[in-house]
Amino acid sequence: MIKAVAVDMDGTFLKNDKSYEQQRFLDIYQIMKRKKVKFIVASGNQYQRLRQIFSPIADQISFAAENGALVIDRNQEIFAGSFAIPTLKKTINLLKDLPQVLHINVCGAKSAYICKNDPLKFKKLSQFYYPALQEINSFQELPVDNFFKINIHVTDGQGTYFQKLIPKITDGQVAATSGGNDDLDLIVPGLNKAAALKKLLAHWGIMPNELMAFGDGGNDLEMLRLAGYSYAMANGAPAAVEAAKYLAPTNQQSGVLQVLERHFAGD
């Protein structure tokens, strides 16, 4: 019996234009709510952005934001894990010396941070993904915050290489997971979506085999392996398809909604 549903956002729940069929989802959600099925947004995105996307019900649902570093259940913080400041600063200094690293975004609880001299195109993209965003003169001037992750964009085709490189050059103190294409999220080792979901499930007394999860990319693998009912999107990366038990239609076809309707709206 399914008692909780976790969904990734980009490439999974959202279409390529970052939209979703809101009313269709809200109708399904009301059915799930009546059946006491928990709904969890499990994403690498900033918590503030995720709340905007689900604004009609944001106070009713749960979030595993920042790739699982921040866990919120109906406005109550369940868990927040962050980098040790020396590790954060050392990692940023290493990244600045790597020419393949084109852009850096440091993500904290209060805000995300970029540099004032970053290109305008990157600033606009950052403003879209991070509603809470500050420009600073340099990362040496980061304010006091709890830092969940470092997002980097690397030169084309370098994503896989950097996933292996980051743990090596940081002596295992930083893990790297794919955020899609050549974007990488650098995270505290072990603080992934599956770890966040385990905390929520334990909080509710729900077992992993009662969890349904949807994902499409490298940062979804642990979550897909955890869930008893795991769906990779038909547009997903080969590793996600391999990790999941089932295949859902593509994100462009609202595949998540199709599967949820089949499971919850039919009886």
Side-chain angles (χ1 to χ4, degrees):
M1 182 179 178
I2 299 165
K3 296 183 180 179
V5 172
V7 299
D8 170 54
M9 286 284 99
D10 298 306
T12 300
F13 189 82
L14 299 178
K15 296 183 180 181
N16 294 344
D17 64 0
K18 308 305 179 186
S19 71
Y20 69 101
E21 297 177 66
Q22 187 180 83
Q23 191 56 55
R24 183 181 179 186
F25 165 70
L26 291 175
D27 290 344
I28 301 168
Y29 173 73
Q30 292 305 320
I31 297 171
M32 293 170 59
K33 188 177 177 182
R34 287 198 298 271
K35 296 184 177 184
K36 302 187 184 306
V37 177
K38 306 287 189 180
F39 184 77
I40 311 157
V41 182
S43 172
N45 285 326
Q46 187 183 57
Y47 174 57
Q48 291 90 331
R49 168 170 159 75
L50 297 175
R51 283 191 62 90
Q52 287 182 351
I53 294 172
F54 291 95
S55 56
I57 57 168
D59 294 337
Q60 305 174 38
I61 62 176
S62 304
F63 298 89
E66 304 284 9
N67 269 325
L70 179 63
V71 183
I72 305 287
D73 177 32
R74 292 167 296 176
N75 294 328
Q76 177 189 356
E77 184 178 296
I78 302 299
F79 174 80
S82 58
F83 278 108
I85 296 302
T87 301
L88 181 85
K89 291 182 175 179
K90 177 183 176 182
T91 303
I92 291 172
N93 288 333
L94 288 169
L95 295 171
K96 286 162 57 180
D97 292 333
L98 297 171
Q100 303 97 322
V101 178
L102 303 179
H103 305 300
I104 301 173
N105 195 320
V106 181
C107 308
K110 299 175 184 175
S111 177
Y113 304 91
I114 59 175
C115 289
K116 289 181 179 178
N117 62 357
D118 281 327
L120 181 60
K121 182 178 180 181
F122 174 67
K123 288 183 179 182
K124 289 183 176 179
L125 189 64
S126 296
Q127 288 165 357
F128 176 79
Y129 280 103
Y130 301 94
L133 181 70
Q134 292 185 38
E135 294 185 24
I136 56 179
N137 290 320
S138 80
F139 290 122
Q140 302 300 317
E141 300 179 8
L142 280 168
V144 176
D145 203 341
N146 292 321
F147 297 100
F148 299 134
K149 72 177 186 184
I150 305 168
N151 176 264
I152 63 173
H153 184 73
V154 298
T155 51
D156 290 350
Q158 293 292 303
T160 301
Y161 169 71
F162 266 78
Q163 274 189 267
K164 298 176 181 177
L165 177 68
I166 294 298
K168 290 181 181 178
I169 65 175
T170 61
D171 298 321
Q173 293 181 303
V174 180
T177 186
S178 173
N181 299 320
D182 290 298
D183 280 318
L184 293 176
D185 285 337
L186 311 190
I187 60 175
V188 178
L191 294 189
N192 52 45
K193 294 182 182 182
L197 291 174
K198 286 178 182 178
K199 289 178 171 62
L200 279 171
L201 295 179
H203 181 67
W204 296 322
I206 294 175
M207 301 299 294
N209 62 7
E210 297 171 312
L211 171 69
M212 175 183 282
F214 297 84
D216 76 303
N219 63 349
D220 299 315
L221 300 183
E222 295 90 351
M223 173 175 74
L224 293 174
R225 292 174 185 137
L226 173 72
Y229 301 82
S230 54
Y231 284 83
M233 310 309 291
N235 53 283
V241 174
E242 183 179 349
K245 297 178 177 67
Y246 308 106
L247 197 65
T250 69
N251 65 318
Q252 288 292 87
Q253 297 170 307
S254 298
V256 171
L257 300 187
Q258 287 193 47
V259 173
L260 293 181
E261 285 171 338
R262 187 164 70 243
H263 277 275
F264 299 111
D267 53 29

